[in-house]
Amino acid sequence: MALRPIDNALPITPDNLRPKKHAKVSIQTQKRASEIGVNDENRAPLPQPVDAASVDYIASENLKPFQDPESSIQSLVEGLDSKDWVKVCESLNDVRRFSLYHCGLLLPVLEKVMLVVVKAMKNPRSALCKTSIMAASDIFDAFGEKLLDSADSSAFDQLLLQLLLKASQDKKFVCEEADKSLTALVNSIAPLPLLQKLHGFVSHGNLRVRAKAAVSISNSVSKMGSEEIKEFGLVLLLQTASDLLNDRLPEAREAARSIVFSVYKVVSENEKPNPEEAWQSFCETNLSTVQAQSMIKVVSSSQ
């Protein structure tokens, strides 16, 4: 029996034998093209990241005073609060200029400025972090012990902690700048009040922070006279040195030895006939037997 032709059937041609393309393939292709910006002149250009190298690290001696500091101080706080980190860097350099040349105008807003400096130190951008550390150094040089005069010294405590942390990290150029700032701190604030702030950090959980605090304590103690050391506490310094002498980092151990010699000098200064005996008695009275022997050995090995 013959087959009947199907109504409306298309004639078989080579074109009808080719598989048809699905529309969604072309739609997806167009979408991908638009996502990567191919031939799209109407797309807004992506913002270009600011190169950290464009931030200037200006030495303190190269900073200039303001021509009109009274009007400039009004815009300083606004600049420090900016969400643009480059603008914050510029404002921190202005803080340095005020510290060096117009510190009286900066004093009323100093606590807020210090909190901004702390916040900037915590920022992951190394350029902003380093600029804030440089600002801290100039603030120390300008204000010294005035930083401790306020009833609420938490801003200074936070600043000190951040400096110790930054001096302990792996980014060399940030670490070196923080070390300079800690040196500026030791040189600008009297040893006794600074020791009272630093002492709490020698038991910090971060061994690098302990080491940096130990170095700053050692540098402060080396500037103190006998009466100041006695006022802070000979026994407290001896026990601190004893703890640090067994620390894991050589930097902490070397600082501990320096502290030991400072304490030994005070203990033995009025014991001309037998200074070693006075030192031995002092150590054995205030330390365990093992600790005392370590302290005695530090001094005897240097003689």
Side-chain angles (χ1 to χ4, degrees), residues 206-281:
N206 185 321
L207 74 167
R208 292 185 179 183
V209 170
R210 290 199 303 270
K212 294 299 181 180
V215 170
S216 295
I217 289 174
S218 173
N219 292 337
S220 292
V221 171
S222 66
K223 296 171 56 181
M224 297 170 74
S226 298
E227 295 305 315
E228 283 183 298
I229 291 178
K230 290 177 181 178
E231 184 178 353
F232 180 75
L234 282 169
V235 174
L236 181 57
L237 281 175
L238 179 74
Q239 293 171 341
T240 299
S242 177
D243 292 338
L244 291 170
L245 198 61
N246 297 313
D247 209 279
R248 288 169 56 189
L249 290 183
E251 194 175 14
R253 298 196 296 270
E254 184 59 34
R257 283 188 281 270
S258 175
I259 297 170
V260 169
F261 288 121
S262 295
V263 176
Y264 169 77
K265 181 179 178 181
V266 176
V267 170
S268 62
E269 62 185 353
N270 296 322
E271 304 291 339
K272 295 289 184 179
N274 299 300
E276 286 76 18
E277 290 184 11
W279 175 243
Q280 180 176 341
S281 175

Side-chain angles (χ1 to χ4, degrees), residues 118-191:
V118 169
K119 181 180 179 181
M121 281 189 196
K122 295 178 180 179
N123 194 286
R125 292 185 182 275
S126 297
L128 180 55
C129 181
K130 179 173 178 176
T131 304
S132 66
I133 294 171
M134 296 174 77
S137 298
D138 289 328
I139 288 172
F140 295 150
D141 288 337
F143 294 99
E145 291 174 43
K146 290 180 181 178
L147 298 171
L148 307 177
D149 289 344
S150 63
D152 181 11
S153 61
S154 61
F156 178 83
D157 295 339
Q158 293 179 56
L159 180 57
L160 179 55
L161 172 60
Q162 286 305 312
L163 275 178
L164 292 169
L165 288 169
K166 295 308 173 185
S168 305
Q169 68 164 295
D170 295 327
K171 290 182 180 178
K172 185 177 179 181
F173 80 107
V174 173
C175 179
E176 289 176 346
E177 198 63 46
D179 279 332
K180 292 178 185 177
S181 190
L182 287 170
T183 299
L185 176 64
V186 169
N187 291 335
S188 60
I189 296 182

